Amino acid sequence: MNGIRTNGDGGALEGAVIAVAGAAGPAGRAALLRLAEAGAVVVASDAHPERLAEAVDAARYAHGGATVTGDTVDLLDLAATREWADKTEKEFGRIDGLVHLVGGWRGSASFAETALADWDLLDRLLVRTLQSTSLAFEPGLRRSDRGRFVLISAAGASKPTAGNAAYAAAKAAAEAWTLALADEFRKAGGDDGPKTAAAILVVKALVHDAMRAERPNAKFAGFTDVTELADAIAGVWDAPAGEVNGKRLWLTPQQ
């Protein structure tokens, strides 16, 4: 993992205020647990209120005393996303991170069979939600002394396959947008270098216990467990901003 250290203590995350977008899925749940364990104040959002409440309760229960909150936010709505960011900073006095875990996948048997409706969906899930969160949280992250914006991407963005055209293109667009944000942080840091960073964690695919239970004979070769991803997310705060800003940090062999 280029530039990432994943020690187990709170360290740079102690008292940090971290927002997690797309927090109700397996990766989001793992991230909430890991960030709460590290001593962060965790502000979670998702479009599914019941699943979000379960994820928030699980993180609170696992780490008694941890501050973990949940908001149902329409991340396709920039105004609503800005309202969430402003509310978070006003309530907790700062914002030190945004972890973008909104996901989705669509594929086809061949390039010719690609459905443009799949692109429309993936554009909303993977790109538009990223645009909303980055625009909404960028001012607060620049005010932080340890601000981090973390995108989870896929190796397919760098090496797309015929049946994954829509997915790979959406992931590539999300990476490009995040790198533009990183350039903004670089410029804001001036000669001293960036104090805030935007980083991309790259996986082949994710796996979790329920997937293993459903497919006990599957190898899941090269997949990243959601708990390992959560450790890597926390590790972005352990590295100096200049080491991770604008970097693709590979959790699978680089393609």
Side-chain angles (χ1 to χ4, degrees):
M1 295 184 297
N2 301 339
I4 294 183
R5 295 182 289 275
T6 56
N7 57 19
D9 56 26
L13 279 167
E14 187 68 42
V17 179
I18 313 298
V20 180
R29 289 181 177 230
L32 297 189
L33 288 167
R34 181 65 181 86
L35 294 169
E37 176 189 34
V41 172
V42 188
V43 182
S45 80
D46 201 276
H48 302 279
E50 292 183 359
R51 291 196 298 166
L52 176 62
E54 292 173 359
V56 167
D57 287 347
R60 286 175 179 163
Y61 179 79
H63 303 290
T67 300
V68 185
T69 66
D71 290 295
T72 304
V73 182
D74 180 5
L75 299 178
L76 298 174
D77 183 335
L78 179 56
T81 309
R82 282 182 165 144
E83 183 178 343
W84 177 45
D86 292 344
K87 172 188 172 184
T88 298
E89 191 169 9
K90 182 177 180 180
E91 181 173 353
F92 297 106
R94 57 188 298 127
I95 182 69
D96 301 300
L98 186 288
V99 180
H100 187 273
L101 286 168
V102 182
W105 179 84
R106 290 291 187 278
S108 58
S110 68
F111 179 82
E113 294 174 86
T114 300
L116 291 182
D118 290 346
W119 165 258
D120 292 339
L121 173 65
L122 293 171
D123 177 46
R124 291 194 299 273
L125 288 175
L126 305 183
V127 183
R128 183 55 60 86
T129 62
L130 176 78
Q131 292 170 329
S132 293
T133 52
S134 59
L135 290 169
F137 280 86
E138 184 267 345
L141 292 175
R142 274 197 293 110
R143 286 189 286 269
S144 170
D145 58 358
R146 48 180 160 173
R148 301 288 187 273
F149 186 96
V150 183
L151 168 69
I152 314 305
S153 190
S158 301
K159 193 175 182 180
T161 58
N164 267 334
Y167 178 75
K171 282 293 189 182
E175 288 194 7
W177 187 275
T178 302
L179 294 175
L181 175 62
D183 190 54
E184 177 71 15
F185 291 150
R186 179 189 63 79
K187 291 177 178 176
D191 293 339
D192 295 332
K195 68 175 184 178
T196 302
I200 300 166
L201 298 180
V202 184
V203 301
K204 176 182 178 180
L206 296 174
V207 64
H208 50 85
D209 289 344
M211 289 174 61
R212 293 189 181 95
E214 291 172 2
R215 300 170 59 192
N217 297 321
K219 301 295 184 182
F220 298 108
F223 284 37
T224 299
D225 191 276
V226 292
T227 59
E228 296 174 7
L229 175 64
D231 284 341
I233 290 169
V236 173
W237 274 265
D238 288 334
E243 288 186 10
V244 295
N245 186 49
K247 302 294 177 61
R248 292 180 175 91
L249 306 169
W250 289 77
L251 308 184
T252 189
Q254 186 168 349
Q255 297 186 5

